[in-house]
Amino acid sequence: MTHALLYSRAPIGIEARTVRVETHLAPGLPAFTIVGLGDTAVRESRDRVRSALVNSGFDFPQRRITVSLAPADLPKDGGRFDLPIALGILLASGQLGRIDTEQYEFIGELALNGTLSPVPAMLPCALACQPTGRTLIVPRDNADEAALAGAGTIAADQLAQVAAHLAGQTPLPLHECNAPQAGQYQGGCLSEIRGQAHAKRVLEIAAAGGHSLLLSGPPGAGKSMLASRLPGLVPPLHPTQALEVAAIYSLRQARDHTLFHQRPYRAPHHTASATALVGGGSYPRPGEISLAHHGILFLDELPEFDRRVLEVLREPLETGEVSIARAAQQLTFPARFQLIAAMNPCPCGYLGDPEKSCGYRCEKAKRYQSKLSGPLLDRIDLHMDVPAVDANELLGDKQGETSHTVRQRVKDAWRRQWLRQKQLNRELSTDQLEPLLRPHRDWLASVMNRLGLSARALHRSTRVARTIADLHGSEEVERDHLREALSYRQTMNE
């Protein structure tokens, strides 16, 4: 037999397509050619495979070797095809005999001594492999990740082990992995923040409905501490959501299994580029907003971000996904994140403080705040001024509610939302909001004219009012709920 066919996977976004690895040995001058739109790392497989075969005790055939990675128009990158290429050469050269490989898929990078090295994006490949019924043979360091998807998985350390398994000499067992258990959140507690009762109330509302939040206040007021406590207020990820998050992280670096059920919390520095935020690259990879999928994206010092970087958030905040277009392909990554942002009201940070302010109240503050566009601010549900903490509160013994206490109320609110509409309030459509607006139509019309609210701002405030009603255990959205929600649409100080 001079021809062999094996199956592998190539990740495309958070999906993975089947790749047929065909190997043909022909007479002629010795050569080793890999075709099929592979990048530099794929082409370098020739040297890795040759050394791995020789160092594993196999013969490298001195013939004309052609390896085709089909479909030919599908971009392929990395060293994940080393293992199927090496096995294809062994099968085509007759060193393993006649073996049916239809029931397997192979993924793994080879070291020069034949050791299998882990590769990224294993979970999307395993999720795609699971419905086919094939068994996935992967490096041992990838086995736990692959087994999470429910696909039959075999873990191997060496190329020789895989060859012996296929030849029936030393069968390898199926890898078993215990599903990660939901653990307790290990972050800080809300009770550690002294004072700021009003800000904590808004944080609870944001957690209960998944709403976006902008905190504005002087340095040291506790904005970053408040944001960092939010992950401890929201329920853990559902197993299906946890798999989605793990699959996204797998494209960059596998997530620690101890965090499997915890919602991601991403806090990129304000020097981050637009590509770092939304994703991209020659072979597009997810950015920070996708890594925060089903979790929280915290942007500290919001006006310090480049304005063009911030503007890319507008579409994902509305649609929950981001599309990355390249000449050869267009990929869509999920990005249903909760945005929490913090900022100072002016460059010096002490706007309105006669002792600490820089003194250029209107000019500098307006210029600083104008770095944030109106359409972006319009998409943020809750706007909250966080004042400096009073010294007596800061140094006193009184502590506020713990994160555990608030989390129970948030869980109850989430439960009401899922029983009623199977989604969080932040995702309510305009049609679903209409019954909530109808009883208050005349009053809301006057409020919109008085405050100059856009239709988007009104709808977002209505979603917040629905969340406030859920926190109060009310099935109806009352006028007081709307008043409180609209009070959080206040503009920043000038």
Side-chain angles (χ1 to χ4, degrees), residues 374-388:
L376 176 62
L377 291 174
D378 209 34
R379 286 170 166 82
I380 299 179
D381 302 334
L382 300 161
H383 298 225
M384 181 66 200
D385 284 335
V386 182

Side-chain angles (χ1 to χ4, degrees), residues 388-407:
V389 183
D390 180 76
N392 292 327
E393 287 185 310
L394 182 64
L395 300 175
D397 296 328
K398 183 179 179 181
Q399 289 189 330
E401 290 183 305
T402 64
S403 292
H404 175 76
T405 301
V406 177
R407 183 166 58 247

